Amino acid sequence: MQIDMPKYEVRSADGGRWEDVSEKNFMETLADIFDQVTPIMNDILHGKEVPTPNGIYRLKN
């Protein structure tokens, strides 16, 4: 049985192309920006894009 871990992407705020981002980097960025990460993760896991000062993050399809 193989478990697929979620993968994340980021796009710069100026509208560049989507690039893969490691889960560690993704989580560190969210923890630095948001006081509560759980509601943000819930949004991302439900397909929403999350804008930050560093760029826009989303779950990779």
Side-chain angles (χ1 to χ4, degrees), residues 1 4-7 13-14 28 32 38 44-45 47-48 56-57 60:
M1 180 173 169
D4 291 329
M5 296 299 292
K7 296 180 182 165
D14 65 3
E28 286 175 345
D32 289 343
T38 304
I44 288 174
L45 292 175
K48 295 182 181 177
I56 301 170
Y57 289 83
K60 185 174 182 176

Side-chain angles (χ1 to χ4, degrees), residues 4-9 20-23 26 44 58-61:
D4 291 329
M5 296 299 292
K7 296 180 182 165
Y8 306 97
E9 296 178 308
D20 292 344
V21 62
S22 71
E23 183 175 13
F26 170 73
I44 288 174
R58 71 178 182 185
L59 184 65
K60 185 174 182 176
N61 292 335

